[in-house]
Amino acid sequence: MAVPAPQAEPLRRLALLAGASDAAPGLLVTDPGLLAPLTGDLAPWGVADVERVARAALVHPGPEAGRRLARAQRRGLLRVALRDLTGLAGFDAVAAELSDLAEGVLRAALDHVVADLGAGAGLAVIAMGKLGGAELNYVSDVDVLFVTRGDPGPATRAAERLLRLVGGVTPEGRPYELDAALRPEGRDGPLVRSLDGYRAYYERWAATWESQALLKARPVAGDAAVGAAFVELVAPFVWPDRRRAAHVDELQALKGVVEGSPKVRRAGEREVKLAPGGLRDIEFAVQLLQLVHGRHDPSLRARGTLPALAALAAGGHIGEDDAHTFAGAYRFLRTVEHRLQLRGLRRTHALPQDPVARARLARASGYRDGADGDAGARFEDDLRRVRGEVRRVHEKLFYRPLLGRFAELGATDLVADPAAVRERLVALGFARPDEAVRHLQALTAGTGRRAKLLRTLLPGMLPPLAATPDPDGGLVALRSLAERLDSSLTLLAALRDRPVVAEVLVTLLGSSPLIGRWLERQPELLAFLADERELARPRDRDAYRRLAVGLTSRRSGEDELADALRRLARREMARIALRDLAGYSADAPMERTWLAEACLEAAVAAVTPPDVTLAVLGLGTFGGRELGYASDLDVLVVHEPAEARAAALRATEQVVRLLADPTPEGRAFTVDLRLRPEGKDGPLSRSLGSYRVYYERWAQTWELQALTQARPVAGDPALGRAFVEVHAALVYPRAVPEGRLADVRAMKRRVEAERRPRRRAGRPGAGGADPVDLKLGPGGMSDVEWTVQLLQLAEGGRLPRLRRRGTVAALEACAAEGVLAEDDAAVLREGYALLARVRDLLFLSGARDPNVLPGDDAVLRRAAALLDPDHPDPAALRDRLATTMAAVRAVHLRVMEG
């Protein structure tokens, strides 16, 4: 039972209406019947209520029928506006009620026409666009199609009459501007087609945009059975099992055409519907995702934008945050659009240019002046924020890289036909297709969100996975990762929100077995894969040190500190590997070196007592900033004062434990102190004076050779520099001591002789024969390092430029100073780069010992494919290495023999 409005309520309603609409007061004067909603109840009208009122307006046929129908429509429109402005109906209800109003008018009008003509009984009106989605505006075109079961002739006459009745201009205006231009062939096509006619057209000629338009098709008037048959008829065209990838490209291009249209360019940012950040951004993105994913997920086949958004989020196809952003923005922008249209009761989507009119719009949209600013300014701020958010989410969703590939895939690819799946896997190049089928079935079984999402994503992930060195191993890793992280939303969120992650992920999993294990333990790296800018950005030394300090500063005990350092090292080493394999790292050895320095610095800072000064010197590839994935940290530790020896030794032992002892978190780095004076029998740390005495009196040549790479890497910088300066004269004297270079050559021969008995006979590199040692074998990395260091020891005293750490940097200096021929330098430089790269790739490919070329072709094939995707041939890689190492060996022997 209706509750009478308070006595003051009519005036309040009138004030609200007059404030929001310039046209409303004039309408009230010309049609006193419009005053009823001001004084009566404001219960919503449903379709049946509207239909009853419209039928009453049409009870008398004749030329005035259109005018009476327009007046009835205005009364309904005013009721919805008052419910809107008084807060009785929110946006969702307002859009639904405006749609009900149009639907009721169309039903009554068509019945009136059919009865008056005695023809068109089998005609159905199909709503498209906003009426089809039940989200109509106050003033909007009503897009329709006309369909009939039999002869289109009589139905065409009825449709034409309906267009005149509902769309004809009268002194009262017109109820609606009906637009049938979405029909096949547009305005050049017949107004009405039979069901068979529509079928014939859509089977042969349907354009991409037509499937998008049909997504919202809904019968609203006329023959209900014909309307239902039409919806059933067009479903295969809207939701085909497979869709051309070009379909997605065409829709994306169409959006660009809309944004570049003269109308949008003229209005610019004033256009709330078509401009970037406007309503079309939301609608196009939602509809494209529906068209791609709704073929296999019927829950997505909602006609309205907001219900479709909710279904996309519920089905895991977009993130809840993105859905929330879009939904809030859609309601905001549509409300602004409604206020624009109410102002003059005319169709418009452009914000006014006049500041006074903009301020009125802000107030009509619910903004009020207050302590936090005037209404207009806050409205403009919110409008800019909403548009920015809409554009950001639109670009993320609408231009997803894999949408075209998903569109091509059929719904039964993974779930219904294992034999067909197996056949496809064989064609893609999977070596173990039966096993792969079982993994795919395990990944997609069930009704959970993970299975549902993977059924959509996996068909598009298989081609890039098949292009990797080990697709079978990559699929195993993907299954393990998905199952391990089943209770975590990280993987699903990354794959769902950023499908490019799916392609990058399988590429990495099929390239390196280590990547999957790293990601299982550090799933946060999945999100990192999706951010191309972050993926391309290297961290410098200071960035790593900030990370280490931040991670360790809150840890109190040694165990907590050790775990924190191990987690940091593992996570960041995985990040470096991801960048490396994805082609973004220009200098992975340098990044690994900086990471090691940061972890070492944090450990030293945490354990050094206040009365002790400690410095760590890097040697070998660590000192040379050429650290490999599997490299140890060769170091020396120096302390001051000399009497703090006991405390310094304890601190050094703690540093080694923190980084090198194995824990459930693994180990950060292996710290190797064996190059210290007296080797494993010597103290872990010495004072600066003790080092100087040792190196002056007892050091062997190889120990001074090791100091060519000595570089402060952690602890007190001044003490580290002092160590280097104190020993520079010993390593690089003005005159080379007699016998020093002979000692170097003799030591190199002795090292090779000691290794020789352990080697087997046979053709180098063949399975079961002599293994190729990339590091210590003939022509290996060690040959390059000894060659360079011999030249440094021989000429560094007179040529300071040669005193550079790092094999490659020293090589360049030797060539620049003329102590090594440029051709020889190029052979050594290129050889060293190739050997170091292959060693790293063998590590990432799962080799047990990355220093030795494996006899297992599977591991070598992965490494070969990572090195040169166009030539992933293990035999070719062996041949290339053999040629390179022979050239390196020749230069090495020539230089060493002097």
Side-chain angles (χ1 to χ4, degrees):
M1 181 176 179
V3 178
Q7 194 166 9
E9 184 62 14
L11 294 177
R12 185 178 79 90
R13 293 179 183 179
L14 181 59
L16 286 171
L17 192 62
S21 175
D22 295 332
L27 293 175
L28 292 172
V29 171
T30 58
D31 181 9
L34 291 172
L35 294 171
L38 294 175
T39 57
D41 75 277
L42 285 179
W45 279 359
V47 175
D49 298 313
V50 176
E51 194 174 354
R52 173 178 49 79
V53 172
R55 288 185 189 282
L58 295 171
V59 69
H60 301 294
E64 291 295 306
R67 182 175 184 174
R68 293 193 299 271
L69 186 63
R71 181 172 292 183
Q73 189 270 347
R74 291 285 195 221
R75 292 176 180 178
L77 191 73
L78 179 63
R79 173 177 291 273
V80 177
L82 284 170
R83 284 177 47 76
D84 181 359
L85 296 170
T86 57
L88 293 175
F91 165 75
D92 298 40
V94 168
E97 290 172 27
L98 289 171
S99 301
D100 287 347
L101 178 63
E103 187 172 341
V105 168
L106 285 172
R107 285 187 182 183
L110 182 58
D111 288 350
H112 171 81
V113 165
V114 170
D116 192 38
L117 286 179
L123 178 66
V125 179
I126 309 298
M128 308 285 279
K130 281 189 165 54
L131 180 57
E135 50 194 16
L136 204 61
N137 289 329
Y138 278 103
V139 185
S140 176
D141 288 352
V142 174
D143 296 307
V144 293
L145 299 179
F146 297 106
V147 59
T148 188
R149 190 182 300 277
D151 180 9
T156 299
R157 292 195 298 275
E160 290 170 343
R161 180 78 170 273
L162 178 68
L163 291 174
R164 291 194 297 273
L165 177 61
V166 175
V169 178
T170 75
E172 301 285 347
R174 56 183 168 189
Y176 292 101
E177 185 176 347
L178 295 185
D179 190 344
L182 293 179
R183 66 186 184 270
E185 301 177 79
R187 301 188 189 281
D188 296 327
L191 182 62
V192 180
R193 289 178 187 249
S194 66
L195 289 167
D196 289 340
Y198 275 106
R199 179 181 292 107
Y201 174 84
Y202 289 131
E203 285 178 348
R204 296 190 63 185
W205 308 111
T208 297
W209 67 266
E210 288 176 296
S211 65
Q212 182 182 9
L214 288 169
L215 190 152
K216 293 183 176 292
R218 178 172 68 95
V220 292
D223 192 310
V226 173
F230 177 85
V231 171
E232 183 179 355
L233 180 153
V234 300
F237 304 105
V238 183
W239 315 111
D241 183 54
R242 295 177 186 273
R243 198 186 295 281
R244 296 176 299 113
H247 184 103
V248 172
D249 296 336
E250 289 166 7
L251 289 177
Q252 291 171 336
L254 179 61
K255 180 63 166 60
V257 171
V258 171
E259 289 183 3
S261 66
K263 175 183 177 182
V264 175
R265 289 202 304 269
R266 282 195 304 271
E269 291 187 353
R270 294 191 302 114
E271 173 64 56
V272 298
K273 178 180 179 181
L274 302 177
L279 288 163
R280 274 291 189 266
D281 273 6
I282 301 172
E283 293 165 348
F284 262 71
V286 170
Q287 290 165 23
L288 181 57
L289 292 174
Q290 284 182 278
L291 291 169
V292 170
H293 299 301
R295 299 167 302 130
H296 313 323
D297 186 351
S299 70
L300 304 182
R301 300 177 186 179
R303 295 182 175 97
T305 301
L306 292 173
L309 261 176
L312 285 165
H317 300 284
I318 63 174
E320 292 182 0
D321 288 346
D322 290 339
H324 179 76
T325 296
F326 258 5
Y330 187 76
R331 291 185 174 98
F332 175 84
L333 293 172
R334 285 294 306 275
T335 298
V336 171
E337 184 182 51
H338 281 176
R339 297 300 177 266
L340 285 170
Q341 294 179 352
L342 274 176
R343 175 59 54 192
L345 287 180
R346 63 185 183 87
R347 188 176 65 203
T348 181
H349 311 286
L351 298 167
Q353 292 179 305
D354 176 46
V356 175
R358 296 273 282 234
R360 289 180 61 188
L361 175 63
R363 289 191 294 273
S365 299
Y367 287 81
R368 297 291 181 267
D369 294 338
D372 54 347
D374 67 88
R378 287 188 294 111
F379 170 74
E380 299 293 344
D381 288 344
D382 284 350
L383 183 62
R384 279 192 294 271
R385 174 184 55 79
V386 167
R387 281 175 155 169
E389 291 174 346
V390 166
R391 193 60 176 181
R392 173 183 61 80
V393 177
H394 168 78
E395 290 180 344
K396 181 171 87 172
L397 300 179
F398 192 67
Y399 296 103
R400 281 181 169 177
L402 297 185
L403 281 176
R405 185 175 294 154
F406 297 157
E408 294 179 299
L409 303 168
T412 61
D413 281 348
L414 295 178
V415 293
D417 191 349
V421 175
R422 185 187 186 283
E423 182 178 346
R424 184 177 177 206
L425 291 170
V426 170
L428 285 171
F430 282 78
R432 301 186 297 277
D434 293 325
E435 182 180 328
V437 168
R438 290 193 293 272
H439 290 311
L440 291 173
Q441 289 174 333
L443 285 166
T444 57
T447 57
R449 294 184 70 180
R450 186 196 80 181
K452 196 172 186 180
L453 181 63
L454 288 176
R455 280 198 291 272
T456 299
L457 292 176
L458 274 170
M461 295 163 73
L462 289 177
L465 178 58
T468 65
D470 184 12
D472 296 272
L475 185 56
V476 172
L478 178 62
R479 178 181 175 183
S480 177
L481 180 64
E483 290 176 347
R484 179 70 64 91
L485 302 179
D486 190 48
S487 60
S488 169
L489 296 178
T490 305
L491 176 60
L492 287 179
L495 296 178
R496 175 199 62 208
D497 295 344
R498 306 173 185 90
V500 67
V501 176
E503 186 161 2
V504 175
L505 174 63
V506 295
T507 299
L508 293 171
L509 293 179
S511 300
S512 169
L514 294 181
I515 295 295
R517 294 198 290 273
W518 285 341
L519 290 175
E520 285 180 23
R521 302 195 68 171
Q522 292 153 126
E524 67 272 14
L525 289 171
L526 287 165
F528 163 74
L529 292 178
D531 189 338
E532 189 172 3
R533 287 177 299 179
E534 177 64 21
L535 196 62
R537 183 185 300 121
R539 300 199 202 283
D540 59 18
R541 178 192 290 107
D542 291 340
Y544 281 120
R545 293 199 174 194
R546 285 193 298 271
L547 283 174
V549 170
L551 195 62
T552 58
S553 61
R554 299 183 297 276
R555 305 301 189 273
S556 55
E558 185 174 315
D559 290 343
E560 285 188 7
L561 181 61
D563 282 345
L565 287 171
R566 286 162 174 75
R567 282 194 298 272
L568 173 66
R570 191 179 60 220
R571 185 190 72 211
E572 291 303 313
M573 192 64 79
R575 179 183 180 276
I576 293 168
L578 294 178
R579 283 173 30 77
D580 189 359
L581 292 176
Y584 287 102
S585 180
D587 196 348
M590 182 69 82
E591 293 183 48
R592 293 190 291 263
T593 300
W594 284 337
L595 171 61
E597 287 182 20
C599 291
L600 196 55
E601 175 65 34
V604 170
V607 303
T608 303
D611 56 346
V612 177
T613 301
L614 212 65
V616 181
L617 286 299
L619 302 175
T621 56
F622 188 24
R625 302 182 181 90
E626 296 171 328
L627 211 59
Y629 285 109
S631 295
D632 296 345
L633 305 186
D634 293 314
V635 298
L636 299 177
V637 180
V638 58
H639 67 264
E640 289 294 335
E643 54 268 23
R645 180 176 185 273
L649 290 176
R650 287 193 299 271
T652 303
E653 290 172 352
Q654 281 184 283
V655 169
V656 173
R657 285 199 304 271
L658 286 172
L659 295 178
D661 280 4
T663 72
E665 291 291 338
R667 61 161 55 104
F669 292 95
T670 298
V671 180
D672 191 341
L673 286 146
R674 289 177 297 176
L675 293 178
R676 68 187 184 272
E678 302 179 77
K680 63 181 180 180
D681 296 324
L684 295 178
S685 177
R686 290 174 181 257
S687 68
L688 187 58
S690 176
Y691 272 112
R692 182 170 186 173
V693 169
Y694 175 86
Y695 284 121
E696 286 178 344
R697 294 184 181 180
W698 297 296
Q700 299 181 50
T701 299
W702 70 264
E703 291 178 292
L704 297 176
Q705 180 182 344
L707 293 184
T708 61
Q709 305 303 306
R711 178 177 64 87
V713 293
D716 186 75
L719 181 57
R721 287 192 299 270
F723 178 96
V724 173
E725 291 166 2
V726 162
H727 296 98
L730 296 174
V731 180
Y732 299 112
R734 287 184 179 274
V736 180
E738 184 178 354
R740 176 173 288 189
L741 301 184
D743 287 345
V744 174
R745 296 181 176 106
M747 175 62 71
K748 182 63 163 69
R749 287 193 295 270
R750 186 161 61 249
V751 169
E752 291 185 1
E754 289 173 353
R755 293 192 67 254
R756 196 172 295 123
R758 296 197 298 269
R759 300 173 65 198
R760 301 189 301 271
R763 184 171 64 83
D770 189 17
V772 177
D773 193 323
L774 304 176
K775 180 179 181 182
L776 300 176
M781 297 174 69
S782 178
D783 274 5
V784 182
E785 293 163 353
W786 280 77
T787 303
V788 172
Q789 289 164 21
L790 176 73
L791 295 174
Q792 288 181 293
L793 292 173
E795 305 292 347
R798 69 179 185 88
L799 299 172
R801 187 175 178 183
L802 266 58
R803 305 173 190 179
R804 301 182 68 179
R805 291 96 170 184
T807 301
V808 174
L811 261 174
E812 292 172 351
C814 287
E817 291 289 356
V819 300
L820 182 66
E822 179 56 46
D823 289 348
D824 287 345
V827 168
L828 297 182
R829 183 170 53 246
E830 292 167 11
Y832 194 78
L834 175 63
L835 293 167
R837 185 59 177 159
V838 170
R839 187 177 67 160
D840 280 346
L841 295 179
L842 285 173
F843 174 82
L844 294 173
S845 298
R848 290 185 176 182
D849 182 358
N851 292 314
V852 177
L853 208 61
D856 181 357
D857 271 3
V859 174
L860 194 56
R861 183 176 292 107
R862 280 198 291 266
L866 291 172
L867 183 67
D868 185 355
D870 295 329
H871 301 92
D873 181 6
L877 178 56
R878 285 196 185 95
D879 290 343
R880 180 181 177 186
L881 287 169
T883 301
T884 298
M885 294 175 75
V888 167
R889 185 65 173 178
V891 174
H892 167 73
L893 292 176
R894 188 163 58 251
V895 174
M896 291 296 285
E897 291 171 0

